Amino acid sequence: MSKAAPQRAAPVPAMPAATGFAGQRPFAPQTKLTVGAPNDRFEQEADRVAEQVMRMPASDDGHALNTPPAPPRIQRLCKECEDELRRAPRSPEP
């Protein structure tokens, strides 16, 4: 009786290199961000602007006063579709 030779596993394909959006150049490493000192002038300015934004009045409908609400969107039917809709029998309401 002959012994069967051990089977070898198929080689694992190499991972493709990371690419940017839609196959563009590979991503570049990002530099580590530094955090400024507490209470520096940039943090104070950010706090001041945030406070100003949060104190802005809102209108009754929830929009800021200087932002008008979007106009209503109206979609009209073509002449043939309007005629067809008029001719269609209406079902009684429950």
Side-chain angles (χ1 to χ4, degrees):
M1 222 159 124
S2 65
K3 291 184 177 181
Q7 292 183 346
R8 292 185 181 198
V12 177
M15 292 289 292
T19 57
F21 181 73
Q24 295 174 350
R25 295 185 353 210
F27 290 114
Q30 293 182 345
T31 58
K32 187 171 182 174
L33 298 176
T34 57
V35 178
N39 248 354
D40 68 356
R41 66 183 179 103
F42 298 113
E43 185 176 356
Q44 290 174 359
E45 179 183 6
D47 288 342
R48 181 185 56 76
V49 171
E51 185 69 29
Q52 183 180 4
V53 168
M54 294 306 294
R55 290 190 184 278
M56 290 175 70
S59 64
D60 291 337
D61 62 357
H63 291 89
L65 290 178
N66 59 353
T67 307
R73 296 183 72 171
I74 299 173
Q75 183 175 352
R76 300 194 185 276
L77 296 174
C78 67
K79 179 74 173 142
E80 291 81 21
C81 294
E82 248 179 55
D83 292 342
E84 184 179 330
L85 191 60
R86 282 193 194 116
R87 286 187 300 241
R90 294 186 184 208
S91 60
E93 292 187 25

